[in-house]
Each structure stands twice: as structure tokens, then as C-alpha cells.
Amino acid sequence: MVNYNLEELLTKVSTQAGFCESLVSYEGQPLRLEDYQRTAVNDFNKFAIWAKSRRVGWSFAGASLKAFARAMLWRKPYKAIIISKDIREANDKIEYIRGFWNSLPEEWQRG
């Protein structure tokens, strides 16, 4: 986790991607998103269609991280429906989200 003063932290966590990059780690390292991943995580459209290539981190950022950030930041209960092509892919997304949760500082974990 990166250390920020309170004002910097509040500014940074005001977006879904900023929240994740400030407080979430992945494989023991601070999370750093590519620009296209940041755009996907911050997208507020109810439905989205994206042209993408394979193996670009879409399941990681565009589905799992976005759902995690919304669930953490929205004041009302949030339910994400993420469709996967098979059970292995579905389990991968669940494991990403579980890892995001476990990487949060304890005082940010709620529920």
C-alpha cells in the first residue's frame, strides 16, 4: 500500500480505480492499472461492450476489479452479475475478488 496524507488519499479514492490503486495489492505488490484498465474500472454504464484482444487483463480489471470497487464504494448493497464461459473462468474471477478483499487494510474491510 502507498502512503498518502489524508487529502491525497481522499482525492485518490474518489474514483473506483483510484480506490483500488491506493488500497489493493495483487500478488503482494501495489496494484497498478494500465490506462485502458483504469477506464474500464471507472466506467459507470449499466451495460458495456468493449472491443478487446485476448489476454489483456479484462477478467481481472474490467469484470472482477470493477465489481469489487463498486461493492466497496457504493452506499447501497451492490450485486454484480459476471458471466464466464466456463466454471474455471468463473472461479478465477471469484479468486481475484477474494484476493482483492484480503489485500485491503483491515480497517477498510467491512461486512
Side-chain angles (χ1 to χ4, degrees):
M1 184 171 100
V2 179
N3 291 320
Y4 297 102
N5 69 40
L6 181 59
E7 186 176 326
E8 290 171 327
L9 182 61
L10 291 174
T11 299
K12 184 76 171 165
V13 300
S14 67
T15 67
Q16 293 176 164
F19 169 82
C20 293
E21 287 185 301
S22 299
L23 296 169
V24 174
S25 62
Y26 179 68
E27 295 181 342
Q29 299 297 314
L31 182 65
R32 293 293 167 256
L33 298 173
E34 299 291 335
D35 287 340
Y36 71 91
Q37 292 174 316
R38 199 172 293 109
T39 299
V41 171
N42 285 331
D43 178 36
F44 282 95
N45 291 310
K46 188 170 186 171
F47 299 101
I49 298 173
W50 294 77
K52 67 168 198 71
S53 53
R54 294 173 43 83
R55 312 282 307 158
V56 295
W58 182 255
S59 292
F60 179 86
S64 304
L65 192 60
K66 181 177 183 174
F68 175 76
R70 284 191 177 182
M72 291 300 298
L73 294 173
W74 287 28
R75 293 183 185 267
K76 60 184 178 180
Y78 177 75
K79 182 190 302 185
I81 299 172
I82 302 172
I83 300 171
S84 300
K85 71 176 186 165
D86 57 38
I87 192 70
R88 185 190 60 77
E89 294 261 340
N91 285 332
D92 287 348
K93 292 173 184 81
I94 292 167
E95 287 305 313
Y96 285 145
I97 293 170
R98 184 173 286 127
F100 301 151
W101 172 263
N102 290 332
S103 75
L104 284 176
E106 192 172 305
E107 60 270 16
W108 282 80
Q109 293 180 4
R110 62 179 182 148

mmCIF file of all heavy atoms in Angstrom, residues 43-79:
data_model
loop_
_atom_site.group_PDB
_atom_site.id
_atom_site.type_symbol
_atom_site.label_atom_id
_atom_site.label_comp_id
_atom_site.label_asym_id
_atom_site.label_seq_id
_atom_site.Cartn_x
_atom_site.Cartn_y
_atom_site.Cartn_z
ATOM 1 N N ASP A 43 -15.783 2.975 -15.550
ATOM 2 C CA ASP A 43 -16.960 3.072 -16.416
ATOM 3 C C ASP A 43 -18.231 2.828 -15.597
ATOM 4 O O ASP A 43 -18.352 1.817 -14.912
ATOM 5 C CB ASP A 43 -16.848 2.050 -17.545
ATOM 6 C CG ASP A 43 -18.049 2.060 -18.463
ATOM 7 O OD1 ASP A 43 -18.600 3.149 -18.706
ATOM 8 O OD2 ASP A 43 -18.436 0.979 -18.942
ATOM 9 N N PHE A 44 -19.190 3.753 -15.670
ATOM 10 C CA PHE A 44 -20.426 3.639 -14.897
ATOM 11 C C PHE A 44 -21.620 3.204 -15.737
ATOM 12 O O PHE A 44 -22.745 3.229 -15.248
ATOM 13 C CB PHE A 44 -20.747 4.975 -14.209
ATOM 14 C CG PHE A 44 -19.922 5.192 -12.987
ATOM 15 C CD1 PHE A 44 -18.751 5.919 -13.054
ATOM 16 C CD2 PHE A 44 -20.296 4.651 -11.777
ATOM 17 C CE1 PHE A 44 -17.981 6.115 -11.930
ATOM 18 C CE2 PHE A 44 -19.532 4.839 -10.635
ATOM 19 C CZ PHE A 44 -18.363 5.573 -10.720
ATOM 20 N N ASN A 45 -21.421 2.829 -16.980
ATOM 21 C CA ASN A 45 -22.539 2.386 -17.803
ATOM 22 C C ASN A 45 -23.109 1.085 -17.259
ATOM 23 O O ASN A 45 -22.371 0.221 -16.773
ATOM 24 C CB ASN A 45 -22.092 2.186 -19.255
ATOM 25 C CG ASN A 45 -21.760 3.496 -19.913
ATOM 26 O OD1 ASN A 45 -22.545 4.436 -19.851
ATOM 27 N ND2 ASN A 45 -20.597 3.567 -20.523
ATOM 28 N N LYS A 46 -24.416 0.952 -17.333
ATOM 29 C CA LYS A 46 -25.060 -0.261 -16.854
ATOM 30 C C LYS A 46 -24.648 -1.468 -17.697
ATOM 31 O O LYS A 46 -24.439 -2.561 -17.188
ATOM 32 C CB LYS A 46 -26.575 -0.092 -16.873
ATOM 33 C CG LYS A 46 -27.312 -1.217 -16.213
ATOM 34 C CD LYS A 46 -28.774 -0.888 -16.033
ATOM 35 C CE LYS A 46 -29.447 -1.976 -15.233
ATOM 36 N NZ LYS A 46 -30.800 -1.596 -14.853
ATOM 37 N N PHE A 47 -24.547 -1.252 -18.990
ATOM 38 C CA PHE A 47 -24.096 -2.288 -19.909
ATOM 39 C C PHE A 47 -22.944 -1.723 -20.723
ATOM 40 O O PHE A 47 -22.949 -0.530 -21.045
ATOM 41 C CB PHE A 47 -25.215 -2.721 -20.859
ATOM 42 C CG PHE A 47 -26.400 -3.292 -20.141
ATOM 43 C CD1 PHE A 47 -27.530 -2.527 -19.927
ATOM 44 C CD2 PHE A 47 -26.384 -4.593 -19.668
ATOM 45 C CE1 PHE A 47 -28.624 -3.027 -19.255
ATOM 46 C CE2 PHE A 47 -27.470 -5.113 -18.992
ATOM 47 C CZ PHE A 47 -28.592 -4.331 -18.781
ATOM 48 N N ALA A 48 -21.980 -2.551 -21.047
ATOM 49 C CA ALA A 48 -20.836 -2.080 -21.828
ATOM 50 C C ALA A 48 -20.411 -3.151 -22.816
ATOM 51 O O ALA A 48 -20.446 -4.348 -22.512
ATOM 52 C CB ALA A 48 -19.676 -1.736 -20.910
ATOM 53 N N ILE A 49 -20.039 -2.716 -23.984
ATOM 54 C CA ILE A 49 -19.461 -3.597 -24.996
ATOM 55 C C ILE A 49 -18.084 -3.035 -25.317
ATOM 56 O O ILE A 49 -17.949 -1.856 -25.640
ATOM 57 C CB ILE A 49 -20.336 -3.647 -26.269
ATOM 58 C CG1 ILE A 49 -21.715 -4.214 -25.933
ATOM 59 C CG2 ILE A 49 -19.649 -4.470 -27.351
ATOM 60 C CD1 ILE A 49 -22.696 -4.153 -27.080
ATOM 61 N N TRP A 50 -17.079 -3.858 -25.185
ATOM 62 C CA TRP A 50 -15.710 -3.432 -25.421
ATOM 63 C C TRP A 50 -15.072 -4.300 -26.491
ATOM 64 O O TRP A 50 -15.217 -5.524 -26.468
ATOM 65 C CB TRP A 50 -14.883 -3.569 -24.139
ATOM 66 C CG TRP A 50 -15.303 -2.663 -23.033
ATOM 67 C CD1 TRP A 50 -16.385 -2.812 -22.219
ATOM 68 C CD2 TRP A 50 -14.672 -1.459 -22.638
ATOM 69 N NE1 TRP A 50 -16.454 -1.775 -21.335
ATOM 70 C CE2 TRP A 50 -15.420 -0.936 -21.562
ATOM 71 C CE3 TRP A 50 -13.539 -0.780 -23.081
ATOM 72 C CZ2 TRP A 50 -15.053 0.245 -20.923
ATOM 73 C CZ3 TRP A 50 -13.189 0.389 -22.439
ATOM 74 C CH2 TRP A 50 -13.956 0.894 -21.375
ATOM 75 N N ALA A 51 -14.366 -3.677 -27.409
ATOM 76 C CA ALA A 51 -13.529 -4.417 -28.363
ATOM 77 C C ALA A 51 -12.180 -4.618 -27.681
ATOM 78 O O ALA A 51 -11.553 -3.655 -27.236
ATOM 79 C CB ALA A 51 -13.369 -3.629 -29.651
ATOM 80 N N LYS A 52 -11.768 -5.845 -27.552
ATOM 81 C CA LYS A 52 -10.516 -6.132 -26.853
ATOM 82 C C LYS A 52 -9.856 -7.346 -27.473
ATOM 83 O O LYS A 52 -10.480 -8.110 -28.202
ATOM 84 C CB LYS A 52 -10.770 -6.368 -25.371
ATOM 85 C CG LYS A 52 -11.574 -7.629 -25.103
ATOM 86 C CD LYS A 52 -11.561 -7.969 -23.643
ATOM 87 C CE LYS A 52 -11.960 -9.398 -23.393
ATOM 88 N NZ LYS A 52 -11.028 -10.403 -23.794
ATOM 89 N N SER A 53 -8.611 -7.515 -27.171
ATOM 90 C CA SER A 53 -7.924 -8.719 -27.616
ATOM 91 C C SER A 53 -7.808 -9.678 -26.437
ATOM 92 O O SER A 53 -8.180 -9.351 -25.309
ATOM 93 C CB SER A 53 -6.549 -8.369 -28.181
ATOM 94 O OG SER A 53 -5.817 -7.612 -27.254
ATOM 95 N N ARG A 54 -7.286 -10.850 -26.711
ATOM 96 C CA ARG A 54 -7.152 -11.858 -25.658
ATOM 97 C C ARG A 54 -5.982 -11.533 -24.735
ATOM 98 O O ARG A 54 -5.032 -10.891 -25.136
ATOM 99 C CB ARG A 54 -6.916 -13.229 -26.292
ATOM 100 C CG ARG A 54 -8.105 -13.731 -27.083
ATOM 101 C CD ARG A 54 -7.811 -15.020 -27.846
ATOM 102 N NE ARG A 54 -7.067 -16.019 -27.120
ATOM 103 C CZ ARG A 54 -7.584 -16.891 -26.261
ATOM 104 N NH1 ARG A 54 -8.878 -16.877 -26.034
ATOM 105 N NH2 ARG A 54 -6.832 -17.768 -25.657
ATOM 106 N N ARG A 55 -6.113 -11.988 -23.499
ATOM 107 C CA ARG A 55 -5.023 -11.925 -22.528
ATOM 108 C C ARG A 55 -4.572 -10.503 -22.193
ATOM 109 O O ARG A 55 -3.385 -10.225 -22.094
ATOM 110 C CB ARG A 55 -3.819 -12.754 -23.001
ATOM 111 C CG ARG A 55 -4.110 -14.145 -23.497
ATOM 112 C CD ARG A 55 -4.353 -15.175 -22.472
ATOM 113 N NE ARG A 55 -3.271 -15.216 -21.493
ATOM 114 C CZ ARG A 55 -3.403 -15.710 -20.281
ATOM 115 N NH1 ARG A 55 -4.552 -16.188 -19.886
ATOM 116 N NH2 ARG A 55 -2.417 -15.721 -19.449
ATOM 117 N N VAL A 56 -5.534 -9.592 -22.057
ATOM 118 C CA VAL A 56 -5.184 -8.209 -21.738
ATOM 119 C C VAL A 56 -5.631 -7.806 -20.334
ATOM 120 O O VAL A 56 -5.605 -6.637 -19.985
ATOM 121 C CB VAL A 56 -5.757 -7.210 -22.771
ATOM 122 C CG1 VAL A 56 -5.135 -7.433 -24.130
ATOM 123 C CG2 VAL A 56 -7.269 -7.290 -22.842
ATOM 124 N N GLY A 57 -6.044 -8.758 -19.534
ATOM 125 C CA GLY A 57 -6.437 -8.451 -18.164
ATOM 126 C C GLY A 57 -7.871 -7.994 -18.023
ATOM 127 O O GLY A 57 -8.219 -7.318 -17.062
ATOM 128 N N TRP A 58 -8.721 -8.386 -18.955
ATOM 129 C CA TRP A 58 -10.118 -7.950 -18.882
ATOM 130 C C TRP A 58 -10.845 -8.587 -17.705
ATOM 131 O O TRP A 58 -11.550 -7.911 -16.964
ATOM 132 C CB TRP A 58 -10.844 -8.268 -20.187
ATOM 133 C CG TRP A 58 -12.249 -7.787 -20.118
ATOM 134 C CD1 TRP A 58 -13.368 -8.536 -19.949
ATOM 135 C CD2 TRP A 58 -12.687 -6.433 -20.141
ATOM 136 N NE1 TRP A 58 -14.474 -7.729 -19.877
ATOM 137 C CE2 TRP A 58 -14.075 -6.430 -19.989
ATOM 138 C CE3 TRP A 58 -12.036 -5.216 -20.265
ATOM 139 C CZ2 TRP A 58 -14.825 -5.273 -19.958
ATOM 140 C CZ3 TRP A 58 -12.780 -4.057 -20.238
ATOM 141 C CH2 TRP A 58 -14.160 -4.092 -20.095
ATOM 142 N N SER A 59 -10.703 -9.880 -17.523
ATOM 143 C CA SER A 59 -11.365 -10.536 -16.385
ATOM 144 C C SER A 59 -10.881 -9.943 -15.072
ATOM 145 O O SER A 59 -11.643 -9.787 -14.123
ATOM 146 C CB SER A 59 -11.082 -12.040 -16.389
ATOM 147 O OG SER A 59 -11.717 -12.647 -17.471
ATOM 148 N N PHE A 60 -9.617 -9.602 -15.021
ATOM 149 C CA PHE A 60 -9.024 -9.030 -13.821
ATOM 150 C C PHE A 60 -9.589 -7.644 -13.531
ATOM 151 O O PHE A 60 -10.125 -7.390 -12.463
ATOM 152 C CB PHE A 60 -7.503 -8.962 -13.999
ATOM 153 C CG PHE A 60 -6.776 -8.362 -12.839
ATOM 154 C CD1 PHE A 60 -6.414 -9.156 -11.767
ATOM 155 C CD2 PHE A 60 -6.446 -7.021 -12.823
ATOM 156 C CE1 PHE A 60 -5.749 -8.606 -10.687
ATOM 157 C CE2 PHE A 60 -5.772 -6.461 -11.753
ATOM 158 C CZ PHE A 60 -5.425 -7.258 -10.678
ATOM 159 N N ALA A 61 -9.492 -6.733 -14.483
ATOM 160 C CA ALA A 61 -9.863 -5.335 -14.238
ATOM 161 C C ALA A 61 -11.293 -5.021 -14.658
ATOM 162 O O ALA A 61 -12.057 -4.455 -13.887
ATOM 163 C CB ALA A 61 -8.901 -4.389 -14.959
ATOM 164 N N GLY A 62 -11.657 -5.361 -15.868
ATOM 165 C CA GLY A 62 -12.947 -4.952 -16.408
ATOM 166 C C GLY A 62 -14.124 -5.638 -15.761
ATOM 167 O O GLY A 62 -15.228 -5.109 -15.761
ATOM 168 N N ALA A 63 -13.912 -6.784 -15.179
ATOM 169 C CA ALA A 63 -15.008 -7.504 -14.527
ATOM 170 C C ALA A 63 -14.784 -7.565 -13.015
ATOM 171 O O ALA A 63 -15.523 -6.968 -12.238
ATOM 172 C CB ALA A 63 -15.140 -8.903 -15.113
ATOM 173 N N SER A 64 -13.746 -8.265 -12.577
ATOM 174 C CA SER A 64 -13.547 -8.527 -11.150
ATOM 175 C C SER A 64 -13.249 -7.271 -10.346
ATOM 176 O O SER A 64 -13.884 -7.007 -9.322
ATOM 177 C CB SER A 64 -12.414 -9.535 -10.960
ATOM 178 O OG SER A 64 -12.684 -10.713 -11.673
ATOM 179 N N LEU A 65 -12.283 -6.486 -10.776
ATOM 180 C CA LEU A 65 -11.891 -5.305 -10.015
ATOM 181 C C LEU A 65 -12.998 -4.252 -10.007
ATOM 182 O O LEU A 65 -13.260 -3.609 -8.993
ATOM 183 C CB LEU A 65 -10.594 -4.723 -10.570
ATOM 184 C CG LEU A 65 -9.903 -3.673 -9.714
ATOM 185 C CD1 LEU A 65 -9.537 -4.250 -8.340
ATOM 186 C CD2 LEU A 65 -8.653 -3.155 -10.412
ATOM 187 N N LYS A 66 -13.659 -4.090 -11.141
ATOM 188 C CA LYS A 66 -14.765 -3.132 -11.221
ATOM 189 C C LYS A 66 -15.886 -3.533 -10.255
ATOM 190 O O LYS A 66 -16.408 -2.695 -9.516
ATOM 191 C CB LYS A 66 -15.285 -3.066 -12.651
ATOM 192 C CG LYS A 66 -16.414 -2.095 -12.853
ATOM 193 C CD LYS A 66 -16.803 -2.061 -14.311
ATOM 194 C CE LYS A 66 -17.882 -1.058 -14.589
ATOM 195 N NZ LYS A 66 -18.141 -0.933 -16.029
ATOM 196 N N ALA A 67 -16.265 -4.791 -10.237
ATOM 197 C CA ALA A 67 -17.313 -5.264 -9.328
ATOM 198 C C ALA A 67 -16.882 -5.088 -7.873
ATOM 199 O O ALA A 67 -17.675 -4.651 -7.027
ATOM 200 C CB ALA A 67 -17.640 -6.722 -9.615
ATOM 201 N N PHE A 68 -15.647 -5.395 -7.577
ATOM 202 C CA PHE A 68 -15.133 -5.243 -6.218
ATOM 203 C C PHE A 68 -15.176 -3.786 -5.773
ATOM 204 O O PHE A 68 -15.654 -3.471 -4.683
ATOM 205 C CB PHE A 68 -13.699 -5.781 -6.145
ATOM 206 C CG PHE A 68 -13.049 -5.570 -4.818
ATOM 207 C CD1 PHE A 68 -13.382 -6.360 -3.739
ATOM 208 C CD2 PHE A 68 -12.103 -4.568 -4.645
ATOM 209 C CE1 PHE A 68 -12.783 -6.165 -2.503
ATOM 210 C CE2 PHE A 68 -11.507 -4.366 -3.415
ATOM 211 C CZ PHE A 68 -11.839 -5.168 -2.350
ATOM 212 N N ALA A 69 -14.698 -2.878 -6.621
ATOM 213 C CA ALA A 69 -14.667 -1.460 -6.276
ATOM 214 C C ALA A 69 -16.074 -0.925 -6.037
ATOM 215 O O ALA A 69 -16.316 -0.195 -5.067
ATOM 216 C CB ALA A 69 -13.972 -0.661 -7.379
ATOM 217 N N ARG A 70 -17.006 -1.288 -6.888
ATOM 218 C CA ARG A 70 -18.387 -0.822 -6.703
ATOM 219 C C ARG A 70 -18.981 -1.359 -5.411
ATOM 220 O O ARG A 70 -19.647 -0.639 -4.677
ATOM 221 C CB ARG A 70 -19.250 -1.223 -7.884
ATOM 222 C CG ARG A 70 -19.008 -0.360 -9.076
ATOM 223 C CD ARG A 70 -20.037 -0.601 -10.131
ATOM 224 N NE ARG A 70 -19.805 0.305 -11.241
ATOM 225 C CZ ARG A 70 -20.565 0.350 -12.302
ATOM 226 N NH1 ARG A 70 -21.610 -0.454 -12.400
ATOM 227 N NH2 ARG A 70 -20.300 1.182 -13.273
ATOM 228 N N ALA A 71 -18.734 -2.616 -5.132
ATOM 229 C CA ALA A 71 -19.269 -3.195 -3.900
ATOM 230 C C ALA A 71 -18.694 -2.505 -2.669
ATOM 231 O O ALA A 71 -19.399 -2.320 -1.675
ATOM 232 C CB ALA A 71 -18.967 -4.695 -3.852
ATOM 233 N N MET A 72 -17.451 -2.083 -2.737
ATOM 234 C CA MET A 72 -16.816 -1.432 -1.591
ATOM 235 C C MET A 72 -17.228 0.030 -1.446
ATOM 236 O O MET A 72 -17.318 0.536 -0.341
ATOM 237 C CB MET A 72 -15.291 -1.527 -1.716
ATOM 238 C CG MET A 72 -14.745 -2.923 -1.543
ATOM 239 S SD MET A 72 -15.119 -3.649 0.060
ATOM 240 C CE MET A 72 -14.286 -2.525 1.170
ATOM 241 N N LEU A 73 -17.462 0.709 -2.557
ATOM 242 C CA LEU A 73 -17.648 2.157 -2.511
ATOM 243 C C LEU A 73 -19.103 2.616 -2.530
ATOM 244 O O LEU A 73 -19.391 3.729 -2.107
ATOM 245 C CB LEU A 73 -16.890 2.824 -3.667
ATOM 246 C CG LEU A 73 -15.371 2.693 -3.589
ATOM 247 C CD1 LEU A 73 -14.718 3.223 -4.857
ATOM 248 C CD2 LEU A 73 -14.833 3.404 -2.368
ATOM 249 N N TRP A 74 -20.005 1.821 -3.049
ATOM 250 C CA TRP A 74 -21.401 2.244 -3.117
ATOM 251 C C TRP A 74 -22.031 2.151 -1.744
ATOM 252 O O TRP A 74 -21.772 1.227 -0.990
ATOM 253 C CB TRP A 74 -22.165 1.391 -4.122
ATOM 254 C CG TRP A 74 -21.821 1.712 -5.539
ATOM 255 C CD1 TRP A 74 -20.636 2.224 -6.004
ATOM 256 C CD2 TRP A 74 -22.636 1.539 -6.678
ATOM 257 N NE1 TRP A 74 -20.692 2.369 -7.358
ATOM 258 C CE2 TRP A 74 -21.904 1.960 -7.802
ATOM 259 C CE3 TRP A 74 -23.920 1.062 -6.853
ATOM 260 C CZ2 TRP A 74 -22.413 1.928 -9.084
ATOM 261 C CZ3 TRP A 74 -24.434 1.016 -8.137
ATOM 262 C CH2 TRP A 74 -23.690 1.450 -9.227
ATOM 263 N N ARG A 75 -22.895 3.076 -1.419
ATOM 264 C CA ARG A 75 -23.535 3.093 -0.103
ATOM 265 C C ARG A 75 -24.625 2.030 0.026
ATOM 266 O O ARG A 75 -24.941 1.589 1.106
ATOM 267 C CB ARG A 75 -24.117 4.464 0.178
ATOM 268 C CG ARG A 75 -23.059 5.502 0.333
ATOM 269 C CD ARG A 75 -23.668 6.842 0.692
ATOM 270 N NE ARG A 75 -22.663 7.864 0.716
ATOM 271 C CZ ARG A 75 -22.010 8.229 1.794
ATOM 272 N NH1 ARG A 75 -22.255 7.649 2.940
ATOM 273 N NH2 ARG A 75 -21.105 9.173 1.738
ATOM 274 N N LYS A 76 -25.220 1.654 -1.064
ATOM 275 C CA LYS A 76 -26.262 0.629 -1.010
ATOM 276 C C LYS A 76 -25.662 -0.723 -1.396
ATOM 277 O O LYS A 76 -24.596 -0.777 -2.017
ATOM 278 C CB LYS A 76 -27.413 0.998 -1.938
ATOM 279 C CG LYS A 76 -27.009 1.144 -3.385
ATOM 280 C CD LYS A 76 -28.170 1.598 -4.227
ATOM 281 C CE LYS A 76 -27.716 1.773 -5.673
ATOM 282 N NZ LYS A 76 -28.786 2.208 -6.535
ATOM 283 N N PRO A 77 -26.317 -1.810 -1.029
ATOM 284 C CA PRO A 77 -25.816 -3.125 -1.429
ATOM 285 C C PRO A 77 -25.662 -3.210 -2.951
ATOM 286 O O PRO A 77 -26.482 -2.681 -3.692
ATOM 287 C CB PRO A 77 -26.880 -4.094 -0.929
ATOM 288 C CG PRO A 77 -27.540 -3.368 0.192
ATOM 289 C CD PRO A 77 -27.520 -1.914 -0.203
ATOM 290 N N TYR A 78 -24.621 -3.857 -3.395
ATOM 291 C CA TYR A 78 -24.328 -3.942 -4.823
ATOM 292 C C TYR A 78 -24.219 -5.408 -5.216
ATOM 293 O O TYR A 78 -23.563 -6.195 -4.533
ATOM 294 C CB TYR A 78 -23.028 -3.211 -5.150
ATOM 295 C CG TYR A 78 -22.640 -3.316 -6.596
ATOM 296 C CD1 TYR A 78 -23.304 -2.567 -7.552
ATOM 297 C CD2 TYR A 78 -21.640 -4.175 -7.011
ATOM 298 C CE1 TYR A 78 -22.971 -2.659 -8.890
ATOM 299 C CE2 TYR A 78 -21.300 -4.279 -8.345
ATOM 300 C CZ TYR A 78 -21.964 -3.517 -9.274
ATOM 301 O OH TYR A 78 -21.636 -3.623 -10.599
ATOM 302 N N LYS A 79 -24.865 -5.758 -6.308
ATOM 303 C CA LYS A 79 -24.780 -7.114 -6.834
ATOM 304 C C LYS A 79 -24.246 -7.041 -8.257
ATOM 305 O O LYS A 79 -24.787 -6.318 -9.087
ATOM 306 C CB LYS A 79 -26.152 -7.776 -6.849
ATOM 307 C CG LYS A 79 -26.109 -9.216 -7.345
ATOM 308 C CD LYS A 79 -27.481 -9.805 -7.583
ATOM 309 C CE LYS A 79 -28.323 -9.778 -6.341
ATOM 310 N NZ LYS A 79 -29.623 -10.432 -6.489
#
